[in-house]
Amino acid sequence: MKAYGEPIVVDFGDKPRVAGISAVQLIETSSITAHFANFTNSAYIDVFSCKTFRPHILGLFCKKYFKADEVKVSD
């Protein structure tokens, strides 16, 4: 997956329960969006690509990169 342009990253939220960082990165084959929730210390990452990829391999990469305790993958 190759990035297209710079990512958009915004840290926002008036209330602690909804505060966090949202990010969007366009890629040559579609986009990656991510939401990081401060209150729950959770990350929600969506990778959409017209090019074939293995969601479970991506899940393992994210788990290792973000040092997560667990990961749930939907394909």
Side-chain angles (χ1 to χ4, degrees):
M1 295 181 191
K2 185 175 176 187
Y4 178 82
E6 294 297 315
I8 299 167
V9 181
V10 181
D11 187 351
F12 67 98
D14 303 14
K15 300 173 185 167
R17 191 169 186 282
V18 298
I21 295 172
S22 289
V24 176
Q25 174 65 63
L26 299 179
I27 57 176
E28 285 186 347
T29 54
S30 291
S31 64
I32 300 170
T33 59
H35 306 285
F36 301 92
N38 296 345
F39 187 74
T40 58
N41 196 32
S42 300
Y44 304 89
I45 301 168
D46 180 41
V47 176
F48 177 79
S49 179
C50 296
K51 184 176 182 178
T52 302
F53 68 97
R54 296 185 204 154
H56 293 281
I57 299 295
L58 181 61
L60 291 174
F61 170 83
C62 289
K63 183 177 181 183
K64 183 177 177 181
Y65 184 85
F66 292 108
K67 298 176 183 159
D69 293 330
E70 65 177 293
V71 65
K72 295 178 185 174
V73 177
S74 300
D75 49 346

